[in-house]
């Protein structure tokens, strides 16, 4: 008796909140995607989405996200692995994480200077007689800055799963004659795949929707799904089309979450304390 | 063996250098009297003075801090209530449904959150500005608080509540004398995370802020789009110090290194 009245006392405000800020916004986005610019009900936005312009945009957005996630993983995995081998590993991990607390905008802004025509990279290159390069506003700078920003978010889940791994398994693998490489591919990597999946999820979805970095670093040359949504909502004021792209982004997000999701053992035991 | 460990040290050092260089680069040039981020002329405090003499910028700083504190406080209250509610749920299925709903906001790209909230606020008729920014910051912080508090609640034995009931505790006593003290570390972590998420947020705020109201992130964005201003560098110097103090403070207060300090990309 006490329990059930207690329950509704605690649940109702939270449920109301969730309904208002999780369910309602998604429903509204779907609803708006069904109206054209003049407020008439139509599927014209969906038709538009399947034209070459938007399909190309979606593909290129995926391609960039794939590149960003790939490079991030490539850099983050060895870092996480060797971090677990250091003394005071929690302290080193903290030091890796601190940059991720610094405001995103500031880190991006730093690269406007670093990659600038008179910036240190160009100054360094000119030492070797290489002419001034336009580094800013290229694909390279966009991917570099994105990878830079996402590295800590990839390291963290991988570090956690590596840290949880039983080290005797590696000794066993060595004793049984496996090479270092074989130990890695057959023992270490499969055992830490959940961390890798969490990391991919934490990097891939945001990189599909980046729009601030594309504007500041790629100078409108790279258009991601996020840039397109921002453009439709805040510049063109075509909320219908913006909502349609958002619907697809939500769909992709659900697919990615299903692909990288892991069977929940308990309520929150997916290793990633998000 | 020795070779690999040497290589690993070099590799780690390189990663650390790459992670920290941009930050120190920004701070270094904040003392440059030259006005650019490429040639250092002489040492000056003038850019720091410029930050504090610019009343508009100071107002924005104050706004940002007020939004962060208020949203962290309110989202902690709602989140704790929600987490307790979820704990009371007996069926696993409803609990999992609620938790996935909870996770939607954590995983959602910030552009989606921003755009959908913009529609919501316009439909409901909330004026874009302080209120809309505050509400959206609370909205995306609540799930994080729930996630930080819930494990602590699950750790707590339900016999504690039964014992309190047997001893004649009221509903309120149970909350304030039994549950809250037990889950305090979770509440603290949730509050802290909500604070940093709010301070860090750019994209959601960018969508739901009107013409009159700006937070620091949005202001830095518009300044950076206009080009290099060393005022931003001075700001980053200040923010770096504050962040460092906050992180170290958090680290030493909680001193629970097992708890990952931060996961997920800032909203």
């Amino acid at each position: 008796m006490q329990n059930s009245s207690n329950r509704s006392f605690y649940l109702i405000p939270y449920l109301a909140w969730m309904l208002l800020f999780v369910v309602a916004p998604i429903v509204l986005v779907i609803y708006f995607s069904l109206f054209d610019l003049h407020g008439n009900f139509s599927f014209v936005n969906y038709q538009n989405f399947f034209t070459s312009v938007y399909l190309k945009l979606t593909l290129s957005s995926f391609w960039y996200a794939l590149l960003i996630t790939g490079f991030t993983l490539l850099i983050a995995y060895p870092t996480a692995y060797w971090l677990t081998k250091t003394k005071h590993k929690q302290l080193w991990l903290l030091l890796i994480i601190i940059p991720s607390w610094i405001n995103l905008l500031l880190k991006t802004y730093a690269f406007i200077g670093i990659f600038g025509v008179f910036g240190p990279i160009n100054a360094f290159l000119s030492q070797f007689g290489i002419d001034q390069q336009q580094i800013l506003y290229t694909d390279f700078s966009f991917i570099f800055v994105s990878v830079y920003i996402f590295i800590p978010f990839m390291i963290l889940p991988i570090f956690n799963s590596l840290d949880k791994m039983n080290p005797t398994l590696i000794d066993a693998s060595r004793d049984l004659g496996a090479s270092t490489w074989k130990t890695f591919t057959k023992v270490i990597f499969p055992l830490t795949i959940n961390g890798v999946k969490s990391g991919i999820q934490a990097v891939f979805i945001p990189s599909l929707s980046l729009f601030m970095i594309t504007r500041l670093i790629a100078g409108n040359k790279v258009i991601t799904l996020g840039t397109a949504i921002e453009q439709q909502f805040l510049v063109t004021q075509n909320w219908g089309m913006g909502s349609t792209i958002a619907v697809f982004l939500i769909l992709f997000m659900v697919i990615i979450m299903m692909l990288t999701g892991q069977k929940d053992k308990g309520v929150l035991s997916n290793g990633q304390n998000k | 063996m020795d070779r690999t460990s040497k290589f690993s040290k070099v590799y780690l050092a390189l990663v650390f250098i790459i992670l920290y260089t941009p930050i120190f680069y920004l701070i270094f040039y904040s003392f440059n009297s030259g006005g650019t981020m490429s040639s250092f002329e002489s040492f000056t405090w003038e850019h720091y003075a410029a930050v504090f003499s610019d009343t508009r910028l100071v107002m924005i700083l104050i706004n940002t801090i007020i939004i962060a504190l208020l949203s962290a406080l309110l989202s902690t209250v709602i989140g704790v209530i929600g987490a307790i509610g979820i704990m009371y749920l007996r069926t696993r299925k409803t609990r999992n449904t609620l938790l996935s709903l909870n996770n939607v906001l954590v995983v959602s790209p910030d552009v989606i959150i921003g755009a959908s909230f913009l529609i919501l606020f316009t439909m409901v008729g909330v004026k874009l500005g302080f209120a809309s920014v505050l509400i959206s910051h609370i909205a995306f912080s609540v799930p994080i608080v729930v996630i930080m508090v819930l494990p602590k609640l699950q750790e707590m034995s339900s016999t504690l509540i039964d014992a309190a009931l047997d001893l004649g505790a009221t509903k309120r006593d149970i909350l304030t004398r039994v549950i809250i003290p037990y889950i305090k570390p979770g509440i603290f972590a949730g509050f802290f995370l909500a604070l940093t998420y709010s301070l860090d947020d750019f994209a959601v705020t960018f969508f739901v802020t009107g013409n009159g109201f700006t937070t620091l992130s949005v202001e830095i964005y518009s300044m950076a789009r206009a080009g290099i201003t060393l005022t931003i560098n001075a700001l980053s110097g200040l923010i770096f110090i504050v962040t460092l103090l906050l992180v170290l403070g958090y680290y030493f207060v909680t001193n629970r290194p097992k708890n990952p300090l931060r996961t997920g990309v800032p909203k």
Side-chain angles (χ1 to χ4, degrees):
Chain A
M1 200 47 213
Q2 174 86 26
N3 216 344
S4 83
S5 77
N6 237 343
R7 182 161 73 189
S8 46
F9 171 77
Y10 289 117
L11 263 184
I12 286 168
Y14 175 70
L15 272 181
W17 187 265
M18 281 290 151
L19 228 57
L20 194 58
F21 292 104
V22 180
V23 183
I26 294 175
V27 172
L28 278 173
V29 165
I30 297 171
Y31 176 78
F32 265 77
S33 71
L34 296 170
F35 287 91
D36 66 10
L37 253 180
H38 313 289
N40 303 315
F41 182 87
S42 77
F43 288 103
V44 70
N45 295 319
Y46 286 87
Q47 270 167 20
N48 279 341
F49 190 83
F50 286 104
T51 57
S52 62
V53 181
Y54 284 101
L55 284 182
K56 236 187 231 165
L57 187 157
T58 310
L59 271 180
S60 84
S61 188
F62 263 89
W63 174 239
Y64 282 116
L66 209 67
L67 283 177
I68 293 167
T69 315
F71 284 124
T72 312
L73 181 61
L74 221 61
I75 296 168
Y77 201 100
T79 313
Y81 181 76
W82 283 318
L83 269 180
T84 56
K85 303 268 175 248
T86 53
K87 266 186 238 162
H88 314 295
K89 54 187 169 187
Q90 293 294 345
L91 184 71
W92 289 113
L93 183 70
L94 181 74
L95 283 175
I96 285 273
I97 293 166
I98 286 177
S100 79
W101 296 73
I102 307 292
N103 195 303
L104 208 72
L105 270 302
L106 292 176
K107 285 182 287 188
T108 311
Y109 166 77
F111 282 100
I112 299 179
I114 292 173
F115 284 155
V117 178
F118 303 105
I121 301 285
N122 264 321
F124 178 76
L125 287 178
S126 69
Q127 300 278 317
F128 300 99
I130 300 169
D131 287 342
Q132 265 177 15
Q133 302 277 325
Q134 178 67 31
I135 309 172
L136 214 55
Y137 313 127
T138 58
D139 286 358
F140 166 79
S141 60
F142 171 63
I143 291 170
F144 188 94
V145 175
S146 310
V147 170
Y148 169 79
I149 281 171
F150 287 131
I151 281 176
F153 302 107
M154 185 69 97
I155 290 179
L156 201 57
I158 297 176
F159 177 90
N160 283 334
S161 59
L162 277 166
D163 207 29
K164 268 188 280 179
M165 197 178 61
N166 188 346
T168 53
L169 288 170
I170 297 168
D171 297 336
S173 158
R174 289 264 164 76
D175 288 347
L176 292 168
S179 66
T180 315
W181 178 246
K182 202 151 196 185
T183 308
F184 176 74
T185 54
K186 299 276 178 192
V187 181
I188 302 175
F189 192 76
L191 281 173
T192 53
I193 193 75
N194 277 349
V196 174
K197 280 177 171 175
S198 304
I200 290 176
Q201 189 181 318
V203 172
F204 196 86
I205 298 173
S207 30
L208 274 181
S209 61
L210 285 171
F211 78 90
M212 175 271 294
I213 300 175
T214 57
R215 291 255 193 270
L216 291 179
I217 296 292
N220 292 342
K221 272 194 187 153
V222 178
I223 296 178
T224 61
L225 289 170
T227 328
I229 295 174
E230 188 251 355
Q231 179 100 7
Q232 295 290 350
F233 266 94
L234 300 177
V235 184
T236 330
Q237 299 280 341
N238 185 351
W239 287 17
M241 195 60 222
S243 298
T244 311
I245 306 170
V247 168
F248 280 99
L249 186 51
I250 293 173
L251 269 180
F252 297 142
M253 181 186 98
V254 171
I255 294 169
I256 293 157
M257 280 176 73
M258 279 179 348
L259 285 177
T260 56
Q262 34 222 250
K263 295 272 172 287
D264 276 359
K265 281 161 243 130
V267 190
L268 272 166
S269 64
N270 55 350
Q272 150 206 41
N273 227 345
K274 272 185 86 171
Chain B
M1 196 58 212
D2 196 40
R3 259 228 328 257
T4 46
S5 82
K6 213 172 252 170
F7 178 76
S8 73
K9 271 182 196 138
V10 173
Y11 186 90
L12 283 182
L14 215 65
V15 170
F16 274 104
I17 289 171
I18 290 175
L19 280 178
Y20 278 93
T21 302
I23 297 163
F24 288 123
Y25 174 80
L26 273 185
I27 298 173
F28 176 71
Y29 278 103
S30 72
F31 300 110
N32 178 17
S33 66
T36 63
M37 272 209 274
S38 47
S39 52
F40 195 90
E41 280 176 18
S42 61
F43 183 88
T44 174
W45 286 104
E46 68 178 86
H47 303 296
Y48 286 87
V51 171
F52 290 108
S53 61
D54 186 343
T55 37
R56 204 180 89 88
L57 207 55
V58 173
M59 273 310 289
I60 292 171
L61 257 168
I62 293 171
N63 281 339
T64 313
I65 293 167
I66 289 175
I67 289 271
L69 284 175
L70 271 180
S71 70
L73 200 70
L74 292 170
S75 58
T76 307
V77 172
I78 301 171
V80 168
I81 292 174
I84 295 174
I86 292 176
M87 180 196 69
Y88 273 122
L89 282 175
R90 284 288 162 246
T91 43
R92 201 192 161 100
K93 209 175 153 197
T94 16
R95 193 161 24 170
N96 280 344
T97 317
L98 254 184
L99 276 175
S100 1
L101 218 59
N102 191 66
N103 276 351
V104 168
L105 270 186
V106 181
V107 200
S108 282
D110 29 17
V111 199
I112 303 270
I113 300 178
S116 62
F117 281 10
L118 174 64
I119 299 179
L120 181 74
F121 290 135
T122 321
M123 295 292 282
V124 177
V126 176
K127 205 173 149 276
L128 296 183
F130 179 81
S132 61
V133 173
L134 179 63
I135 295 171
S136 14
H137 281 211
I138 297 172
F140 67 63
S141 302
V142 166
I144 298 153
V145 176
V146 170
I147 284 169
M148 297 311 283
V149 172
L150 208 54
K152 279 266 132 211
L153 276 172
Q154 284 168 335
E155 211 175 84
M156 188 176 76
S157 157
S158 64
T159 51
L160 277 178
I161 297 175
D162 295 338
L165 276 172
D166 287 348
L167 293 168
T170 60
K171 222 160 52 170
R172 207 185 139 151
D173 285 337
I174 292 176
L175 180 68
T176 55
R177 302 262 181 103
V178 182
I179 300 179
I180 302 262
Y182 194 89
I183 60 174
K184 224 184 202 161
I187 297 177
F188 188 69
F191 176 82
F192 187 76
L193 272 184
L195 199 69
T196 57
Y197 268 69
S198 168
L199 286 174
D200 244 14
D201 173 70
F202 162 70
V204 178
T205 314
F206 190 67
F207 270 89
V208 298
T209 187
N211 284 326
F213 188 79
T214 331
T215 63
L216 199 59
S217 298
V218 177
E219 178 65 14
I220 294 172
Y221 177 72
S222 49
M223 280 164 93
R225 285 206 85 176
I228 287 168
T229 332
L230 291 191
T231 318
I232 306 182
N233 294 52
L235 267 177
S236 51
L238 295 170
I239 291 173
F240 183 72
I241 303 283
V242 173
T243 317
L244 212 59
L245 289 176
L246 273 175
V247 174
L248 293 178
Y250 175 82
Y251 189 70
F252 286 117
V253 168
T254 57
N255 204 14
R256 285 169 51 90
K258 264 177 85 184
N259 219 344
L261 277 164
R262 172 149 203 190
T263 46
V265 175
K267 289 282 179 285

